[in-house]
Amino acid sequence: MKRHARPLAALLAAALLGALAGCGGHSGRPRAAGTGDGESARPVAESAGQRGFTLVATGDVLAHDSIIAQAREDAAGSGRPYDFRRMLAGAEPVVAPADVAVCHMETVYGRDGGPFSGYPAFRTPPQVAQGLKETGYDSCSTASNHTLDDGPEGVRRTLRAMDEAGLRHAGSARSAAERKKPAVLKAGTATVAQLSYTYGTNGIPVPEDQPWLVNLIDPERIVADARAARRAGADVVVVSLHWGTEWQQKPDARQRELARRLTRSRSDGRRDIDLILGTHNHVPQPYEKVNGTWVVYGLGDQVAGVMNDPRGSMGTAARFTFAPPRGKDASWRVRKAEYVPFLMVSEPRFRLVGLAGPEGREAGRPEYAEARRTIREAVLSRGAAQDGLTMGR
């Protein structure tokens, strides 16, 4: 797998130059780092001219038929065939202030005008990309078990729509050259590289002549890619993993072992991977510090239709505040770790509710209190509170 390292480094270096020269993330608008405690946003710790930053990550965007129908209804009078902004609006107060915001786009997009479909073979309206961008997202991981639901053309359509919306992406690709380029994001004075991988593709074989269509989990390859990104200038390397056992709150043995292996990896005494973000499970899973590195085993679903298990409507936004290195060779470090609980409600319409915000704390809404309690128990179930994780707003 080391054969990937040198070309990835070269291509990332070129991408970094482009990002530093002209990419500011959110369409050029300024991005202040938030405190995470409900106060107005302000810059975080500075060191030798470097400024810290906040990174926000959310879970699976999974457009079932009911979600597609809601987006069509929400678009009435807007001039758009589908509008996902209204159902995502509850996430904007958390997502938009972040220096870097990443989502997980679990599904591929259908052709303009359709046909569109939900489970089991997803074809999502491409307007979801614009909705995510307008909510405040900078990048999305795209490696999932549904990446090949519509074959190579589905991958191409998805990435083309993301490009047109101004969303960066990692995890699937249209060519071998594109596969070698992670998503490169500017965050304050730091450069962040996002990598993305999945455990599989629901039994759909990856074409032998197009192995770059989707990144499959391979520990050696992940470490090689992370090291190449670091050598090319990435200050922070974030790895998104579509993994684990569906509907299981506890991380399974493979998740725990892979987390230990990846967070153990060092180069010249410095960690190769700075943060691991998990998706796929449909339910909130624990946050945990493993070998000194934060691992979110499962963010839960962000957007999804009504599931048989009510936990399928619950998710978290992970918010990590990074501080600059203290010394010449030190790593960027997480200064503050937070989770923000969310619930996708379905009545009278599908939309996200921030459970730590004013609406989520309304009196007389026991379902909100119960969801907040369920999420809290899951997130803190492996001792994250002792490592400093708190609930943000």
Side-chain angles (χ1 to χ4, degrees):
M1 293 303 164
K2 293 182 179 179
R3 64 181 181 276
H4 295 293
R6 185 170 294 175
L8 176 58
L11 285 163
L12 178 56
L16 289 169
L17 289 173
L20 291 169
C23 175
H26 279 247
S27 304
R29 73 179 187 270
R31 301 296 298 271
T35 64
D37 55 9
E39 299 176 6
S40 58
R42 63 175 182 264
V44 295
E46 297 181 3
S47 176
Q50 294 181 310
R51 183 174 69 80
F53 68 93
T54 55
L55 181 149
V56 166
T58 54
D60 309 50
V61 176
L62 191 61
H64 292 99
D65 289 330
S66 55
I67 295 295
I68 295 171
Q70 183 69 68
R72 184 172 59 248
E73 182 179 327
D74 287 348
S78 70
R80 302 182 181 193
Y82 295 88
D83 189 348
F84 290 83
R85 295 173 300 173
R86 287 188 65 192
M87 70 178 75
L88 288 165
E92 187 169 353
V94 175
V95 170
D99 290 284
V100 168
V102 299
C103 82
H104 178 58
M105 191 66 245
E106 182 166 4
T107 62
V108 291
Y109 302 164
R111 298 179 179 85
D112 285 337
F116 304 120
S117 58
Y119 182 84
F122 289 87
R123 295 178 185 84
T124 301
Q127 288 78 15
V128 69
Q130 191 64 38
L132 289 164
K133 180 65 178 179
E134 292 175 1
T135 301
Y137 287 97
D138 300 291
S139 179
C140 294
S141 56
T142 58
S144 86
N145 57 318
H146 290 289
T147 301
L148 297 184
D149 276 6
D150 206 20
E153 184 54 34
V155 172
R156 288 191 285 268
R157 284 196 302 266
T158 303
L159 302 187
R160 182 169 60 247
M162 287 185 168
D163 289 342
E164 291 172 354
L167 272 179
R168 297 184 185 275
H169 43 79
S172 55
R174 291 159 287 195
S175 67
E178 186 174 48
R179 179 262 172 256
K180 297 183 181 76
K181 295 187 290 185
V184 179
L185 307 160
K186 197 74 175 76
T189 56
T191 299
V192 178
Q194 183 190 17
L195 306 170
S196 169
Y197 309 83
T198 179
Y199 74 92
T201 53
N202 285 347
I204 302 173
V206 179
E208 292 185 3
D209 60 340
Q210 300 177 73
W212 27 260
L213 280 173
V214 59
N215 290 343
L216 299 178
I217 290 175
D218 176 333
E220 292 183 5
R221 174 178 172 178
I222 294 171
V223 169
D225 288 351
R227 288 175 174 171
R230 185 81 78 195
R231 287 196 301 272
D235 298 299
V236 173
V237 177
V238 177
V239 172
S240 297
L241 296 174
H242 198 76
W243 61 351
T245 303
E246 290 184 331
W247 305 109
Q248 181 172 302
Q249 176 183 305
K250 294 181 179 180
D252 63 29
R254 290 184 179 181
Q255 284 176 285
R256 298 194 305 272
E257 172 54 32
L258 183 57
R260 288 192 294 268
R261 181 171 179 178
L262 294 180
T263 57
R264 259 197 324 261
S265 183
R266 297 287 192 275
S267 295
D268 298 323
R270 182 182 182 184
R271 67 175 65 92
D272 292 319
I273 293 165
D274 299 288
L275 180 63
I276 294 176
L277 302 170
T279 56
H280 172 61
N281 313 87
H282 301 306
V283 299
Q285 287 194 312
Y287 291 39
E288 184 180 23
K289 224 173 184 181
V290 182
N291 294 318
T293 298
W294 279 104
V295 175
V296 181
Y297 288 106
L299 289 157
D301 288 342
Q302 184 190 37
V303 174
V306 176
M307 305 279 207
N308 293 329
D309 187 324
R311 295 176 302 164
S313 297
M314 303 174 193
T316 65
R319 181 163 57 202
F320 294 98
T321 302
F322 282 83
R326 291 195 179 105
K328 180 179 178 182
D329 299 318
S331 302
W332 286 72
R333 64 197 184 279
V334 172
R335 181 176 68 83
K336 189 174 186 178
E338 302 166 278
Y339 75 95
V340 183
F342 282 91
L343 180 69
M344 172 63 79
V345 300
S346 57
E347 296 293 340
R349 48 181 294 276
F350 284 97
R351 64 187 181 91
L352 277 172
V353 173
L355 295 174
E359 181 183 358
R361 291 186 175 276
E362 282 181 2
R365 300 301 298 263
E367 69 274 24
Y368 290 177
E370 177 64 17
R372 190 165 51 247
R373 182 196 63 78
T374 299
I375 293 169
R376 175 182 173 83
E377 288 183 358
V379 165
L380 301 182
S381 61
R382 289 184 67 84
Q386 286 69 44
D387 283 320
L389 183 70
T390 59
M391 187 176 74
R393 298 179 182 174

